[in-house]
Amino acid sequence: MGEFFDAALGFPTALFSFSLLVVAGYWTLVLLGGLGVDLLGAGTDADTGAGAGAGDAGGADGDGDGLVAERLAMLGLGGVPATVVLSLLIAIAWFVSLAASALTGGVALRLLGMSGALVAAWAGTRLAVLPLRRVFQNQVAASLRDFVGLPCVIRTGRVGPDFGQAEVTAPDGSSAIVQVRQPAADVPVAGAGLTAGLPAGLTAGSTALIFDFDPDGQFFWVMPHETASDLAEDRRRTG
């Protein structure tokens, strides 16, 4: 037992041991209901922006949380909550470093073992993330569908069948920047809308209505809010 503690508290395993204690404490609080799994950002939907750090649009904490998930995604570890990824990284690095410390001696060999632990942690976590990613993406797709039927404010200069972003506010007051698209048939030809007295199209600051979600492309289909209001009025009249 003494050898175990010597290895766990010695260099370089000690660098990961204290982090592992933090991870253990965090997951204990999660099990007790004191914290959420996605404390550092979900990291699940980089395309829509409605996952990692997409809570309150203006919050500095949300930006920092999203930054953690974004950096992990750059390492190929995105698609699951950042806390899950970091926990796996730390646990695997600790185990490999502990084994290397027990089997080797000398600072040079232990430094090499620490490098191997970091590489093994990345590789092991990436393998673990692949099946988990499908699970969390399905959960995100389900939550994103809650935005269908809500109005949104366009944040890009235009919206077309291949481009567009908008800000949508959920019933709980949180907001997110999401990818939006407008069907090609609904996009007015330049100048034609003005000539006919119709809206010139969706531009920055205009209000649109989210009417569908594309799970494959991870974006929302939108239409001008005025058009949606007109359609609803027509239905009431004909009904």
Side-chain angles (χ1 to χ4, degrees):
M1 198 63 165
E3 294 180 356
F4 170 80
F5 283 109
D6 288 341
L9 299 177
F11 178 81
T13 312
L15 298 176
F16 304 110
S17 295
F18 293 108
S19 299
L20 189 64
L21 289 176
V22 174
V23 169
Y26 165 76
W27 286 108
T28 299
L29 290 176
V30 170
L31 292 175
L32 294 176
L35 291 175
V37 175
D38 57 349
L39 179 66
L40 294 179
T44 52
D45 196 11
D47 290 336
T48 63
D56 293 329
D61 291 341
D63 294 340
D65 295 348
L67 185 62
V68 174
E70 182 181 346
R71 293 295 181 265
L72 291 174
M74 292 173 62
L75 295 174
L77 302 177
V80 299
T83 49
V84 175
V85 175
L86 292 175
S87 298
L88 288 170
L89 283 170
I90 292 170
I92 296 174
W94 178 84
F95 180 80
V96 175
S97 179
L98 180 68
S101 297
L103 296 175
T104 61
V107 177
L109 289 177
R110 291 194 174 188
L111 284 173
L112 185 62
M114 183 177 67
S115 300
L118 294 174
V119 173
W122 175 83
T125 302
R126 181 162 175 76
L127 289 176
V129 159
L130 293 177
L132 291 174
R133 186 176 292 161
R134 300 187 185 93
V135 176
F136 285 103
Q137 281 182 342
N138 290 337
Q139 293 179 353
V140 170
S143 65
L144 288 176
R145 289 186 182 279
D146 294 339
F147 288 145
V148 175
L150 296 178
C152 62
V153 179
I154 304 302
R155 295 305 185 197
T156 50
R158 67 175 182 85
V159 176
D162 58 351
F163 177 79
Q165 287 186 337
E167 182 178 356
V168 59
T169 301
D172 63 1
S174 62
S175 61
I177 300 296
V178 298
Q179 298 291 328
V180 295
R181 303 290 185 266
Q182 187 177 17
D186 295 343
V187 179
V189 178
L194 296 176
T195 303
L198 299 174
L202 294 174
T203 57
S206 59
T207 303
L209 179 69
I210 298 174
F211 68 87
D212 198 6
F213 173 68
D214 189 313
D216 296 326
Q218 293 289 295
F219 60 79
F220 296 93
W221 290 106
V222 297
M223 63 190 303
H225 196 272
E226 296 79 5
T227 302
S229 301
D230 293 343
L231 290 175
E233 184 64 26
D234 291 342
R235 289 194 186 98
R236 284 195 294 269
R237 290 175 180 174
T238 57

